[in-house]
Amino acid sequence: MQQNCSNIALVTQTAPITAPTHGGRAKCLQRLVRLDLPVPCTVALSFDMVHKIAANEVPSIVKILDNFETDDLLCVRPSSESSDWGGPGAVLNIGMNDERFGQLSAMLGSQAAAKIYLRFVQGYSVHVARLDPEMFDHINGQDEEAVIAALRAYENETEEPFPQDKSIQLAEVLRSMARAWEGTTARLLRQAKGAPTDAGLGLVVQKMVYGIGKGECGSGVLQLVNSDTGMPQITGRYRRQSQWRDALAQEQGALYLTRDPRGNSLEEVAPKIFETLKAQAELMRHRLREEMQIEFTIEDGNLYILDGIKIARLAPAAVRIAVSLADWGIIPKEEALMRIEPHALGELLHRQIAPDANRDVIGSGIAASPGAASGQIVFTAEAALACKSREEPCILVRRETSPEDIRGMYAANAVLTERGGMTSHAAVIGRGMGVPCIVGASSIRFHIQKKQLLSGDGRIFEEGEMITVDGTNGQILAGQSKMVEASLEEPFRTLMQWAEEACDIEIRANADTAADAQTARNFSARGIGLCRTEHMFFQADRMTVMQEMIFANTRTEREAVLDRLLPMQKADFMELFRIMEAMPVCIRLFDPPLHEFLPSDRAGLRDLAEALDLPLSDVTRRVESMKEYNPMLGLRGVRLGITVPEIYEMQVRAIFEATIEASHDRELIIPEIMIPLVSAKREVELVKSRIEAVAADVRTKKGVDFDFKLGVMVETPRAALRANEIASNSSFLSFGTNDLTQMTYGLSRDDAGRFMAAYVQQEVFPEDPFHTLDTDGVGELLMLGVERARKANPEIVVSICGEHGGSPEAIAFCRTYGFDYVSCSPFRVPVARLAAAQLAISSRTS
Amino acid sequence: MQQNCSNIALVTQTAPITAPTHGGRAKCLQRLVRLDLPVPCTVALSFDMVHKIAANEVPSIVKILDNFETDDLLCVRPSSESSDWGGPGAVLNIGMNDERFGQLSAMLGSQAAAKIYLRFVQGYSVHVARLDPEMFDHINGQDEEAVIAALRAYENETEEPFPQDKSIQLAEVLRSMARAWEGTTARLLRQAKGAPTDAGLGLVVQKMVYGIGKGECGSGVLQLVNSDTGMPQITGRYRRQSQWRDALAQEQGALYLTRDPRGNSLEEVAPKIFETLKAQAELMRHRLREEMQIEFTIEDGNLYILDGIKIARLAPAAVRIAVSLADWGIIPKEEALMRIEPHALGELLHRQIAPDANRDVIGSGIAASPGAASGQIVFTAEAALACKSREEPCILVRRETSPEDIRGMYAANAVLTERGGMTSHAAVIGRGMGVPCIVGASSIRFHIQKKQLLSGDGRIFEEGEMITVDGTNGQILAGQSKMVEASLEEPFRTLMQWAEEACDIEIRANADTAADAQTARNFSARGIGLCRTEHMFFQADRMTVMQEMIFANTRTEREAVLDRLLPMQKADFMELFRIMEAMPVCIRLFDPPLHEFLPSDRAGLRDLAEALDLPLSDVTRRVESMKEYNPMLGLRGVRLGITVPEIYEMQVRAIFEATIEASHDRELIIPEIMIPLVSAKREVELVKSRIEAVAADVRTKKGVDFDFKLGVMVETPRAALRANEIASNSSFLSFGTNDLTQMTYGLSRDDAGRFMAAYVQQEVFPEDPFHTLDTDGVGELLMLGVERARKANPEIVVSICGEHGGSPEAIAFCRTYGFDYVSCSPFRVPVARLAAAQLAISSRTS
């Protein structure tokens, strides 16, 4: 009965069955057989054959049936390359017919036989004949009468008798399953899970073990760890007189596996079988090098293993399992690292909505900062602060956020905005703070004035009502959802340590505040790659000083005002240096346009006029005159540094004074100062000479020497193209891929949200370039930039500090072109490090 | 007396004196001597020698004086390489002293001698001793007493006697003039006129011919053409008993040259001398191949030529003179072309403020569209229209202009805005229409609400008051100024024809309207290189339809509205095709963000709500929601074409229908359709397939075949970098250098005005990159783009259509990289063509 044709392979044969030809399930079953586990006779049909069946080529049913006894009932299950890609439902008890019903009634009792026949008729009707499952709703009981009723129902619907011939039954089941795989819905579903367009389906034909009948009969599943946590725990269920996964489908009446105060258990009713099962599960773990769920059936006291399935798991479990397998020596550390999807790691770092929670989705937007939170709706930063003081959780809802909202964002448990994209203000700040955030939620209507949200289906949510924001998938839910807490315990730390050992590119964090810096250290970032100093000015007391500075009329006046900011900035930097303990800290000089510090609404203007003791009309005119058409492309960055040099002078003085005071014997601090938005080398030269003058002055005044590094943030295409000229005046170049992407595409990240979804859907862009580094366009500029910079200055340190910094694709790119480090938001450091480790491992083994 | 040392060269010597070593004046004088003109003995000091004198090296005065008779009085005049670069004032009558005064009194009479001595004492005091000219104010009369008073004044001020030794006098004059040249002010002044930092000064020492004394004595200047127009006309003055250019300095009492009803003339008082002078002027014209002004002196009936100076001229005269010289066979056509500065040609094309007009400057801004106009101040487009209907000239003053102002701009004689840069809305539209325009006039305060302008010096200008806008130099003047009309007569046309013959790159015009197209044809543009279709929608009736389209909720609704625009667009295109007579017309599909068509003020919103019959709150919300952070980088161009495809579909249908109807036997029209703001090839593919579908539909419905070309406007850095991919789907690529510059620098043209002046002044950027193509950065993208496009599609047509299109630098760049054509605003076509002709001529001769 040995099968030569590899399209129809008996799993007991010697030739190995592979996942790419016959699917994962077939492959696994062959391995189980080779472990001498009691697997019923199984035949695997290849992708190729199933594809032909779908194209109406009739398979050689005889060749398949040849492998089984004439009386065997069969089941057919899907076997796609990856179990994640799904597949058609299993069909059980093929071969059942009136004649066999009689025989089985005699063997197992008529009720058992009826149960088996009924299951087949119903399965065949629904999966093969595509009839409505409700047609069997009127049938009660599981006896011969019910069988007759079911057969009649089938005949009424199809106007044909129920097929009695096992060959025909099998052929129809195979055809139906093969076709289902090719359907559009199924294809879209599996493509969403990463399957290629031409993913194949294998089918597995297995002899049925009844699980129903005399003696100890039943079926169940068992696994050795908890799927949510990965902790050792024998979980699963067993159901007497049942088939397949019935024990899970109807938990009511099922038995526990281990002794349990709540009821009977397999361990008690069949202790020997239970022990055997446990041993088999452990064998599978060791030999299949994975935590497997066993599907088993007991027939008259005999144990059969129907299947082994890689257990589904949440991210925390995935990490613990991988680390445990490595700890037990079952897999090497490198493989443990390779098994964790870097993006999935992100889930560990934040609270998430529990997978089994109800989701009453009222709208969705761009998932801008991962994690989930529930809280009452508030529409102003003030209301968020009030909630915080009452210790009530809240969700800050705004049309868009601006620097004035920052304190409110800190107070809120999550942020939801109508507008903006992945790198809008709310998104960047949210990710930086680790606060869940959804932006560009255009499916909801925001009535900020009326303090109402209007869901797509017309429901109104007033201020104070509870909602939940899922920043991981972008959904907004009504009410309060059940959560799974962030999980940063031992296995996570171990994994991170292994990743760090494997990693061959440095990972730094973007950190603007002491809190950010502390997070960065907690995640073992190797330094700060980008400290955006302007965020330090958005605190209420400093904001006012900034506004005074903006309204000052002369250089002297401006300097006087900035003198008041100097000690605050100095304290900021000392705090950062203290936390980072002499690790590199790269401080970007002031970047945003000054008008970001000015109010735009009437009330704000009035407050400002009062604070500055100026007529409202003057203030309004001045604010008005500072507005820009395209602030992204306006008077900011180094342009401000050159036209209003006092700001940079104050900042570098603060940096140098902080450097002197924070340095001590063990820790010599060498700050890195970065100039933003450069487009011409002369900009660097001018700022450099001014910084050097300040350094000389500080050295003289303090009588202490110190060192510093000066570099450039490359974020305009021109700076990348002219990197040779710029590099000769710089110790380092850090590519700001956010702005570089914006300018290379001529596309504002804040405005892209309006059409990016449509663009990606129509495949105009393969991906949102603000998510995934555009290696073709932006990438060429990075490449040219690095190449030219290195030619002019071989010592130069090169990095990426844009939002892409933490993404596996960008890290791969940076490794290829020899970047020295990447810098990303603190909460992405673990993701980045794992991705980098995986790339290093892959490149070593390939 | 022949001089061997070339540092001190006698102009009669054989070795040629050159402008780069001794200056233009010295060179010219040598040529006059060689023409046997009666030039008094002259010695030229080289740049090198003068430089040494300035550095306190004492020249060999003896060697200089050796060339002259002991009794000769001398004068010293500057001789820089180009006469445009200025130089210190001439000093006359060197060698005059008490002794010589006695001799001359005897020879010429004491009054003549006193006049001569007085002139020297005053000249020496002011130019050499640097005394205040007012110290001589108390001296009346020109007699011995006056001389004594002047000498006493000198001694009182300097506490030294007036030098009597000719060697010392000459040495001091030379030192003083050499030093004056090295002064900072003088250097900045000449650098502003294009002199290099190390420009040298030569000096010319010439024997004085007195022009004062017995017989017919006097001095004057003569030239054969009018300096303003270039028309043949003997102009100049002669003054009896005078020296140097006194006849021009004090016209009162001077004689006309030719017979004149208003008074005596040289022609009458000395007919023979007049005839000789005329003949000598004609000789100089022929031999010096230029229109020269003769400086002459008559001494006791003998004529001397002191100098010949290339006549100063306004642009119309420059053109006529060059064309005339070529017509007369004195210079070849090519040289005539080379002699006209392309930028100066611009002056011909517009009315200008007369050079001799009073300029009461009340402020200045960026000279955004050349030409000048006077009119009453109006602050709204409505007021401009009202003025127009009353046939009163007006100047439209706005904070900035928007599409709503376009009709007002057409009605106004000039436009003045507070904000914006060279390529802001007002500037682009102004240049397109040929309306003078100043933008970014930040030195004036604009109180739009109060309807007042406030000049820097505190003067208030109310609505209705008359001002003048000089769009050529950016000045705003109080009142109405005297104007010089545009001059596009015969010599201009001839020059343009010669330019066209010499030119080896095609020049097209950017033209949005029939009027633009007509201007383009008048200037012989070879087609339309850029028709910005959106400008067609800004007319009041179409604006409303656009707004309806924007507020339509479904594709069907939008299509219904666009159906009403279709016939209008079709008529637009037919008109363009008719005017251009089968020359290429490149039509850019709709580009701006839709919100440009929406009002932003309350009144506008109310009107819109009324027009659309929608609640104001709805309209406001919708308008609000369409606002963009950075409209330049937002939902516009091809992004709109892909997300709201109905607009492009309507436009191409209109183009195709117009093509069919406008084509006839003689003229087969092949429209060029251009897709704006592309950044990925898939954008082109998608739009291309939709356009082809519309083409097929029109062919079927009309039963007529036609052809068209599809191309891409390359204006994002990414499109330039990926030009290979994009080129394979395109017949042509046109580089939009405005946007490309913005994105390459990360710099909005509209916001750059705020700091560009400071940036250029500090030499951060060598030039405003929106004025002068940045060949380093933007240029590299153009270069890469062309190279990659040609590699993928060798047949592709490549051009520039940005604002730079008409600039000589950009044309030089385009010629170097083999662009097929440049396109610029219609009024720049002549400038561009001349620049291109000059480049072609230079490259042929070099």
Side-chain angles (χ1 to χ4, degrees), chain A residues 399-400 418-420 445-447 618 621 624-635 638-639 642-643 677 679-680 682-683 686 690 716-719 721-722 725 742-748 750-751 754-755 758-759 762-765 774 776-778 780-781 784 788, chain B residues 399-400 418-420 445-447 618 621 624-635 638-639 642-643 677 679-680 682-683 686 690 716-719 721-722 725 742-748 750-751 754-755 758-759 762-765 774 776-778 780-781 784 788:
Chain A
R399 202 172 299 292
E400 66 214 20
E418 182 180 15
R419 304 200 193 142
R445 267 161 70 171
F446 287 63
H447 291 301
D618 271 25
R621 195 179 49 75
E624 191 64 27
S625 78
M626 290 185 66
K627 275 197 184 150
E628 294 187 302
Y629 298 91
N630 297 287
M632 178 59 51
L633 309 176
L635 181 48
V638 69
R639 294 163 194 162
I642 284 174
T643 51
L677 207 71
S679 63
R682 184 89 184 109
E683 291 172 325
L686 277 174
R690 286 190 193 139
T716 67
R718 197 174 190 281
L721 291 169
R722 308 302 292 173
E725 294 175 347
Q742 297 193 76
M743 291 166 193
T744 306
Y745 276 90
L747 178 55
S748 154
D750 292 324
D751 300 309
R754 227 173 270 267
F755 60 90
Y759 246 57
Q762 292 185 59
E763 294 179 11
V764 185
F765 297 161
D774 159 44
D776 286 347
V778 178
E780 180 173 9
L781 287 174
L784 288 174
R788 293 173 183 189
Chain B
R399 202 171 302 289
E400 66 213 22
E418 182 180 16
R419 303 198 196 145
R445 269 162 69 173
F446 288 62
H447 291 300
D618 270 25
R621 197 179 47 76
E624 192 65 28
S625 78
M626 290 186 66
K627 275 196 185 154
E628 293 187 303
Y629 298 93
N630 297 287
M632 178 60 51
L633 309 176
L635 181 48
V638 69
R639 297 165 193 163
I642 284 173
T643 50
L677 207 70
S679 63
R682 184 88 185 110
E683 291 172 326
L686 277 174
R690 286 191 192 139
T716 67
R718 197 173 190 283
L721 291 169
R722 309 302 291 173
E725 294 175 348
Q742 297 192 76
M743 292 166 193
T744 306
Y745 276 89
L747 179 55
S748 153
D750 291 325
D751 299 309
R754 227 173 271 266
F755 60 91
Y759 246 58
Q762 293 184 58
E763 294 179 9
V764 186
F765 296 162
D774 160 44
D776 287 346
V778 178
E780 180 173 9
L781 288 174
L784 288 174
R788 293 173 183 190

Side-chain angles (χ1 to χ4, degrees), chain B residues 97-119:
Chain B
N97 55 19
D98 296 348
E99 186 194 342
R100 188 83 189 117
F101 176 63
Q103 294 166 353
L104 283 184
S105 295
M107 274 170 62
L108 311 172
S110 70
Q111 209 192 347
K115 233 171 147 174
I116 291 170
Y117 199 4
L118 262 179
R119 182 172 206 132

Side-chain angles (χ1 to χ4, degrees), chain B residues 691-756:
Chain B
I691 290 179
E692 278 166 356
V694 174
D697 187 55
V698 173
R699 285 192 187 104
T700 310
K701 284 208 177 117
K702 302 280 172 184
V704 181
D705 199 14
F706 58 87
D707 208 354
F708 68 95
K709 290 179 183 166
L710 187 67
V712 166
M713 183 144 170
V714 176
E715 41 191 341
T716 67
R718 197 173 190 283
L721 291 169
R722 309 302 291 173
N724 43 345
E725 294 175 348
I726 289 167
S728 51
N729 280 301
S730 308
S731 307
F732 60 90
L733 296 186
S734 193
F735 289 84
T737 51
N738 297 355
D739 278 14
L740 193 57
T741 301
Q742 297 192 76
M743 292 166 193
T744 306
Y745 276 89
L747 179 55
S748 153
R749 56 193 185 185
D750 291 325
D751 299 309
R754 227 173 271 266
F755 60 91
M756 188 55 81

Side-chain angles (χ1 to χ4, degrees), chain B residues 604-681:
Chain B
L605 287 168
R606 220 168 11 238
D607 289 354
L608 181 57
E610 233 168 67
L612 298 173
D613 198 17
L614 283 174
L616 178 60
S617 63
D618 270 25
V619 171
T620 308
R621 197 179 47 76
R622 189 82 163 254
V623 169
E624 192 65 28
S625 78
M626 290 186 66
K627 275 196 185 154
E628 293 187 303
Y629 298 93
N630 297 287
M632 178 60 51
L633 309 176
L635 181 48
R636 46 173 284 244
V638 69
R639 297 165 193 163
L640 211 48
I642 284 173
T643 50
V644 191
E646 302 82 55
I647 304 178
Y648 279 14
E649 281 166 12
M650 180 279 285
Q651 289 197 299
V652 295
R653 188 174 295 276
I655 293 170
F656 294 146
E657 292 187 6
T659 299
I660 292 174
E661 294 193 28
S663 288
H664 47 80
D665 294 346
R666 282 175 301 115
E667 291 173 2
L668 187 66
I669 291 161
I670 302 175
E672 299 176 3
I673 298 174
M674 182 154 72
I675 312 173
L677 207 70
V678 164
S679 63
K681 71 164 175 179

Side-chain angles (χ1 to χ4, degrees), chain B residues 578-600:
Chain B
R578 187 189 60 73
I579 295 170
M580 298 310 293
E581 295 181 280
M583 281 189 192
V585 175
C586 179
I587 299 166
R588 179 177 75 181
L589 297 176
F590 193 85
D591 183 53
L594 289 178
H595 53 72
E596 278 198 9
F597 292 86
L598 298 177
S600 50

Side-chain angles (χ1 to χ4, degrees), chain B residues 50-229:
Chain B
V50 174
H51 188 64
K52 285 181 179 156
I53 293 173
N56 267 335
E57 202 171 297
V58 182
S60 170
I61 296 297
V62 176
K63 274 196 185 165
I64 299 171
L65 290 181
D66 268 358
N67 295 288
F68 300 98
E69 305 295 332
T70 320
D71 281 352
D72 285 350
L73 297 188
L74 305 174
C75 81
V76 181
R77 278 173 282 161
S79 174
S80 56
E81 192 169 343
S82 157
S83 58
D84 292 341
W85 300 347
V91 179
L92 273 55
N93 303 334
I94 299 161
M96 201 60 190
N97 55 19
D98 296 348
E99 186 194 342
R100 188 83 189 117
F101 176 63
Q103 294 166 353
L104 283 184
S105 295
M107 274 170 62
L108 311 172
S110 70
Q111 209 192 347
K115 233 171 147 174
I116 291 170
Y117 199 4
L118 262 179
R119 182 172 206 132
F120 176 54
V121 174
Q122 292 187 5
Y124 189 91
S125 301
V126 172
H127 292 296
V128 181
R130 309 274 166 206
L131 302 180
D132 187 346
E134 288 172 16
M135 63 181 270
F136 299 111
D137 280 0
H138 66 285
I139 298 170
N140 300 315
Q142 300 194 313
D143 52 16
E144 191 169 348
E145 243 173 83
V147 171
I148 292 167
L151 289 170
R152 192 170 309 132
Y154 179 92
E155 288 173 14
N156 284 343
E157 282 293 322
T158 61
E159 301 188 344
E160 279 175 14
F162 188 81
Q164 295 290 316
D165 183 331
K166 185 154 112 182
S167 316
I168 293 174
Q169 290 174 351
L170 180 60
E172 287 299 308
V173 166
L174 295 177
R175 196 181 56 81
S176 143
M177 288 175 81
R179 290 251 173 118
W181 180 255
E182 315 257 313
T184 311
T185 325
R187 195 171 59 243
L188 289 179
L189 276 173
R190 66 178 174 263
Q191 280 175 11
K193 288 177 176 163
T197 32
D198 62 346
L201 177 73
L203 289 171
V204 159
V205 184
Q206 192 174 58
K207 175 188 165 172
M208 283 300 298
V209 188
Y210 302 130
I212 300 175
K214 296 186 173 149
E216 183 63 36
C217 277
S219 64
V221 299
L222 174 144
Q223 65 188 43
L224 298 174
V225 298
N226 181 301
S227 287
D228 293 350
T229 63

Side-chain angles (χ1 to χ4, degrees), chain B residues 486-532:
Chain B
S487 152
L488 305 174
E489 299 113 36
E490 199 34 61
F492 169 77
R493 291 181 187 284
T494 307
L495 191 80
M496 280 300 101
Q497 198 184 315
W498 293 348
E500 205 172 333
E501 287 159 14
C503 200
D504 58 7
I505 186 168
E506 197 177 301
I507 315 284
R508 293 197 195 177
N510 302 345
D512 307 335
T513 62
D516 293 348
Q518 195 54 60
T519 309
R521 292 244 38 195
N522 293 350
F523 290 133
S524 308
R526 289 274 133 248
I528 294 178
L530 174 63
C531 169
R532 287 164 289 222

